[in-house]
Amino acid sequence: MLRIGLVSDTHGLLRPEAVAFLRGADRIVHGGDIGDASILDALAAIAPVVAVRGNNDVGPWARRVPETELVEFGGVHLYAIHDLAGLDIDPAAAGVRVVVSGHSHRPLVAERDGVLYVNPGSAGPRRFSLPVSAGELLIADDGSVSARTVVLTPASLA
């Protein structure tokens, strides 16, 4: 079983609750709006990281982060992109089983046309009344995939 930790929209803030949740992950995927290269360094201390650039990721460090990534974990193809509105492939036709995104700050797990869409929400600064959250993807040895999102902090945390 592979455990892929999912985070997005940290905007320069990697909460201790997010670090605790991600511990033990085999890999981490960051769905963009990272905020600072130090976030990627901190995540890499937990597990190898795949990250994509979000619309707020600017500066020399961000130019090294791709806008999309296609990776394979345990025989399962995953496509990462910050904003689903910019999706530039047909995931099902491309053999992609999971699409990980960010941008909306809204946690989501939904399956359409055999493709699992996961937005872990925002693990960084709170936006409006949306929860602070992260997610995980579990890939079994037989290639089956499940995903969930979790609220990381009490709703009252600012």
Side-chain angles (χ1 to χ4, degrees), residues 18-38:
V19 171
F21 177 75
L22 294 169
R23 262 194 203 101
D26 296 297
R27 301 278 191 277
I28 296 172
V29 175
H30 195 301
D33 277 356
I34 301 156
D36 188 274
S38 66

Side-chain angles (χ1 to χ4, degrees), residues 99-132:
V99 174
V100 173
S101 64
H103 190 60
S104 72
H105 292 226
R106 295 181 188 280
L108 169 76
V109 176
E111 189 157 353
R112 291 190 308 268
D113 300 322
V115 177
L116 191 60
Y117 291 83
V118 184
N119 184 329
S122 173
R126 179 176 301 286
R127 181 177 179 197
F128 309 116
S129 61
L130 297 171
V132 175

Side-chain angles (χ1 to χ4, degrees), residues 19-66:
V19 171
F21 177 75
L22 294 169
R23 262 194 203 101
D26 296 297
R27 301 278 191 277
I28 296 172
V29 175
H30 195 301
D33 277 356
I34 301 156
D36 188 274
S38 66
I39 299 293
L40 296 177
D41 294 338
L43 292 173
I46 300 168
V49 177
V50 170
V52 293
R53 184 174 357 128
N55 57 298
N56 289 303
D57 293 324
V58 295
W61 73 269
R63 286 187 220 116
R64 295 187 301 267
V65 180

Side-chain angles (χ1 to χ4, degrees), residues 45-107:
I46 300 168
V49 177
V50 170
V52 293
R53 184 174 357 128
N55 57 298
N56 289 303
D57 293 324
V58 295
W61 73 269
R63 286 187 220 116
R64 295 187 301 267
V65 180
E67 291 185 11
T68 63
E69 277 283 357
L70 176 63
V71 294
E72 180 266 326
F73 301 123
V76 172
H77 289 91
L78 179 149
Y79 190 76
I81 185 168
H82 181 60
D83 185 352
L84 273 181
L87 191 62
D88 55 354
I89 66 166
D90 175 345
V96 170
R97 176 68 179 99
V98 180
V99 174
V100 173
S101 64
H103 190 60
S104 72
H105 292 226
R106 295 181 188 280

